[in-house]
Amino acid sequence: MITQKKVFQNIIAVFLPLLLGSLFVSVTSCKSNEDEIEQKIAHKWYYKVEASEGAAITIISYANHVSGETKNISINGISGTTWTSGEFSETSIAVPRKHKWAIPMHIKAKANGTDISSTLKVQIYVDGVLVKEVKDIGLIPSAEARYEFNGNFKKRKGIQKIGEVLKKIKLNNTSIIKK
């Protein structure tokens, strides 16, 4: 004859994993209100070209990304040693997990140097920080830099809450089953 204690232990052994599994599924499938909140994403960037003393920048080509569209701009006949683009900006409204975005940046330049040690440097700055620099040396130096700024969203609190719930279940689970 099976005692009531063993019957109860068998019921717990069968139904506890089912209960925990259904709790896990219901907690992970619930959406946090923050999942649907739109986030404003704004970044500014600019390009910079520098040639060594005596060299002359001759051609610059760069990508101008405005309102989700990229246009290539070319400038010929530059004769100075430095050039800085105007500042570009992109502001997007995005919903996490539903909207993926990226800002492609590209600049290419050539110069006429005075000798084989002449240098040309192209740089990309995002939000005031140098993110990419490429340098070339030679009589006719040419440098090209590419950078793509990908959107990153903040961690959603909903995911953190699920982790806390699972930790509590694990802690409580050890105190529920006592042999």
Side-chain angles (χ1 to χ4, degrees):
M1 175 144 249
I2 301 175
T3 65
Q4 282 184 328
K5 186 177 180 181
K6 287 189 178 187
V7 169
F8 181 72
Q9 285 177 345
N10 288 339
I11 290 172
I12 293 274
V14 170
F15 288 106
L16 186 62
L18 291 173
L19 177 66
L20 291 176
S22 63
L23 179 64
F24 176 76
V25 169
S26 64
V27 168
T28 57
S29 66
C30 292
K31 285 188 176 180
S32 166
N33 288 342
E34 290 185 34
D35 286 349
E36 300 302 320
I37 295 174
E38 293 180 341
Q39 294 182 10
K40 185 176 181 181
I41 302 161
H43 293 285
K44 295 180 180 184
W45 69 95
Y46 65 93
Y47 304 108
K48 190 171 184 179
V49 179
E50 294 179 0
S52 58
E53 190 175 326
I57 301 167
T58 56
I59 299 172
I60 297 173
S61 176
Y62 63 93
N64 181 6
H65 184 82
V66 179
S67 301
E69 190 175 321
T70 302
K71 295 180 182 178
N72 291 319
I73 309 293
S74 292
I75 303 171
N76 295 319
I78 300 168
S79 59
T81 57
T82 61
W83 175 87
T84 304
S85 72
E87 191 171 70
F88 303 99
S89 64
E90 178 75 16
T91 302
S92 298
I93 302 296
V95 176
R97 299 185 336 163
K98 292 185 179 180
H99 182 79
K100 186 176 180 178
W101 62 276
I103 301 171
M105 296 167 217
H106 173 251
I107 183 161
K108 184 177 184 178
K110 282 187 179 182
N112 287 330
T114 55
D115 56 35
I116 60 170
S117 64
S118 296
T119 61
L120 179 68
K121 181 170 47 174
V122 294
Q123 301 171 322
I124 300 174
Y125 288 82
V126 176
D127 296 328
V129 177
L130 176 64
V131 294
K132 187 73 173 188
E133 180 179 90
V134 176
K135 185 177 179 182
D136 190 29
I137 300 171
L139 188 57
I140 304 175
S142 175
E144 180 175 8
R146 293 179 182 272
Y147 183 78
E148 186 171 273
F149 189 87
N150 293 307
N152 292 320
F153 297 105
K154 296 176 185 175
K155 276 190 174 180
R156 296 182 316 280
K157 288 184 181 177
I159 298 297
Q160 294 167 345
K161 288 179 185 175
I162 292 168
E164 291 171 13
V165 169
L166 292 176
K167 284 180 187 175
K168 287 178 184 177
I169 290 171
K170 187 175 183 182
L171 292 174
N172 291 339
N173 187 17
T174 57
S175 62
I176 291 173
I177 301 176
K178 293 182 180 177
K179 293 184 180 180

